[in-house]
Amino acid sequence: MPRLIIQRGKEHRVRAGHLWVYRNEVDRISSTARDGQPVDILDSRRRFLARGLLNRQSGITARIYTYQKEDMDETLLASRLERAVDLRESCGIDLNLVRLVSSEGDMLPGLVVDRYGNVMVVQFLTPGMDARRDALVSLMVERFDPAAVFERSNVPSRQAEGLSSAQGLLYGSLPDPVEVEEDGVRFRVDVGNGQKTGLFLDQRENRMLTRNLARGKKCLDMCCYTGGFGIHALKGGALEATGVDISGEAISMARVNAEINGLSEHYRTVEANAFDYFRQAERRGESYDLVCLDPPSFARAKRSLPSASSGYKELNLRALKLLSDGGILVTCCCSYSASPGLFLKIVTEAAADAGRVLVLINEGTQSLDHPVLPAHPETRYLKCLILRAWRR
Ligand code: SAH
């Protein structure tokens, strides 16, 4: 087996269970090693640490997938998939609407599989997984008998891995429309053109928590995408909901989703930039009892954290100002680089500036089908705070 030797003194993180070997930690790599294929990862004294999939083109030169001397072959892929299924089943997760495989979280680095009923959407994010696409598709077909397997590997991160964008049908035929039911709410999913793989399954539990707090409330769902939080709030008895998003396509889908749930009468949509909408709403004197705020990641890298932090702070400040006394703020942050502590601090500062007393009702993260490995903190990226806000 080709080998990757880590520089002396740089092996602590891998020993502690982190799954990545960065380029600047590599001492040498066997000349026979091939990108996308396994390498043994050794410390400077040539002791075996783990086995990973190599990619010299990436800043993450190897991604660990096992601590045994085993190949990433069909047998291992199948057993990792069963482990992923078992983890979800043991948590009582609905296997019909689920992130079945969550990359490092399931020790299948570079692979994402979402199941929307009889449609499976896959992302191959590294050469290691890209090279195994046929085996993976066969495995999915054999195990789940889907109507379609659709690839959504059109993500910017593939570039950093030396891969081009890829998208399209890999198996079967796509039902039209694709529709799922999430906790009693119907959602259409645009598998081909929607954001990410079509639906944000990571917010499922947070949407449910929000819905349980929504009765009798006037709700604003900021960055609503296809209507997730707002439509669940209506289902939970909210009097009315307004969904705001910068994407016209997302807004159209949100309207369809409200319609198929028989909730359009109480659902309003606005295509707008969050910052603009907040400013105008404040001017108009609008007030809401429940504001959900789920912006995209403002900080993809540590260096953009300062500007991202001020963006998060401004949005939260403006959201808090629109809240009625005792209203509820559901505020999310999906940037891994903003830690849970930092995000809570940003929101606390925004509340002080807005003149509000905050009570933390729930400090949530991503749904359980996006497993967190404590030794690999990048697997925990989502923060969702539910707070009540009183005027000072
Ligand atoms: N809450 C949604 C997911 C939101 S994803 C759900 O439960 O499904 C983030 C959304 O923010 C995307 O739909 C994106 O179009 C939108 N967005 C990005 N930048 C924005 C901006 N400046 N103003 C308003 N919406 C924005």
Side-chain angles (χ1 to χ4, degrees):
M1 178 58 56
R3 308 193 305 178
L4 179 159
I5 297 162
I6 298 184
Q7 291 168 22
R8 188 193 302 269
K10 294 278 174 71
E11 60 281 302
H12 304 297
R13 230 191 41 263
V14 166
R15 242 189 244 291
H18 196 260
L19 297 177
W20 294 344
V21 179
Y22 295 105
R23 184 184 282 147
N24 62 6
E25 296 167 342
V26 174
D27 179 2
R28 69 183 74 157
I29 301 172
S30 312
S31 57
T32 52
R34 283 190 296 137
D35 285 346
Q37 296 307 320
V39 282
D40 278 350
I41 297 165
L42 311 180
D43 70 9
S44 55
R45 294 168 65 186
R46 309 296 190 264
R47 285 175 301 199
F48 177 82
L49 296 173
R51 198 170 267 188
L53 293 170
L54 181 72
N55 186 9
R56 291 181 186 83
Q57 303 202 51
S58 168
I60 302 167
T61 303
R63 291 174 192 256
I64 291 167
Y65 65 89
T66 182
Y67 295 96
Q68 307 297 319
K69 294 196 170 178
E70 57 191 352
D71 195 3
M72 179 61 106
D73 56 10
E74 279 160 46
T75 311
L76 186 66
L77 290 172
S79 85
R80 282 278 186 277
L81 183 63
E82 286 317 313
R83 202 156 106 173
V85 167
D86 178 70
L87 181 73
R88 287 151 179 80
E89 273 181 333
S90 70
C91 301
I93 294 170
D94 166 14
L95 280 188
N96 265 303
L97 179 63
V98 66
R99 173 149 295 189
L100 265 176
V101 177
S102 185
S103 201
E104 274 80 6
D106 289 296
M107 293 287 281
L108 284 165
L111 178 67
V112 170
V113 182
D114 283 343
R115 187 174 187 206
Y116 300 130
N118 62 359
V119 174
M120 305 187 79
V121 183
V122 294
Q123 292 181 316
F124 306 112
L125 303 173
T126 56
M129 285 302 162
D130 206 58
R132 288 163 180 77
R133 55 170 55 231
D134 292 345
L136 284 163
V137 173
S138 304
L139 200 58
M140 302 299 162
V141 170
E142 208 175 289
R143 179 65 171 79
F144 300 103
D145 189 26
V149 180
F150 196 87
E151 177 176 14
R152 284 299 302 273
S153 305
N154 51 330
V155 288
S157 68
R158 280 208 13 147
Q159 260 178 29
E161 296 287 320
L163 296 166
S164 54
S165 176
Q167 165 175 12
L169 190 66
L170 301 179
Y171 170 82
S173 60
L174 212 49
D176 183 24
V178 176
E179 193 180 305
V180 297
E181 196 178 303
E182 181 189 87
D183 305 308
V185 174
R186 292 165 66 191
F187 285 110
R188 293 272 167 87
V189 187
D190 186 352
V191 160
N193 301 302
Q195 299 185 27
K196 301 281 167 80
T197 67
L199 210 60
F200 290 89
L201 293 172
D202 54 358
Q203 289 283 26
R204 182 173 185 170
E205 289 160 21
N206 298 322
R207 286 191 283 262
M208 201 59 203
L209 288 169
T210 303
R211 165 171 158 179
N212 291 336
L213 290 163
R215 181 158 302 281
K217 301 212 158 44
K218 186 178 167 197
C219 165
L220 174 66
D221 182 5
M222 179 52 79
C223 302
C224 66
Y225 186 46
T226 56
F229 280 91
I231 295 174
H232 269 288
L234 287 173
K235 196 77 179 176
L239 297 179
E240 54 168 270
T242 300
V244 181
D245 201 283
I246 202 165
S247 152
E249 279 141 35
I251 287 293
S252 310
M253 194 64 115
R255 296 216 61 77
V256 171
N257 285 333
E259 178 86 42
I260 59 176
N261 286 286
L263 295 166
S264 351
E265 221 185 296
H266 309 283
Y267 192 64
R268 185 170 75 99
T269 49
V270 183
E271 183 183 332
N273 182 316
F275 294 91
D276 298 340
Y277 184 87
F278 275 141
R279 241 174 268 130
Q280 287 155 10
E282 198 181 328
R283 222 174 291 139
R284 289 192 294 261
E286 282 178 26
S287 164
Y288 296 91
D289 313 307
L290 170 63
V291 176
C292 308
L293 186 53
D294 186 15
S297 175
F298 289 164
R300 301 225 177 268
K302 277 240 153 63
R303 73 188 112 79
S304 48
L305 203 51
S307 71
S309 298
S310 65
Y312 287 124
K313 181 166 172 196
E314 181 176 348
L315 282 182
N316 280 281
L317 171 72
R318 293 188 180 280
L320 283 160
K321 282 189 175 167
L322 290 190
L323 268 187
S324 57
D325 200 16
I328 293 171
L329 175 66
V330 177
T331 180
C332 311
C333 170
C334 61
S335 304
Y336 162 72
S337 33
S339 68
L342 174 62
F343 184 55
L344 185 60
K345 181 167 169 271
I346 290 171
V347 176
T348 308
E349 286 172 6
D353 289 1
R356 297 296 193 279
V357 175
L358 287 184
V359 177
L360 183 59
I361 311 276
N362 192 68
E363 191 166 3
T365 181
Q366 67 240 27
S367 297
L368 294 171
D369 52 358
H370 295 59
V372 172
L373 307 191
H376 189 87
E378 289 82 353
T379 50
R380 182 173 194 250
Y381 61 94
L382 186 63
K383 279 100 13 215
C384 176
L385 304 175
I386 303 183
L387 307 133
R388 273 194 88 173
W390 274 277
R391 297 223 160 88
R392 277 188 178 176

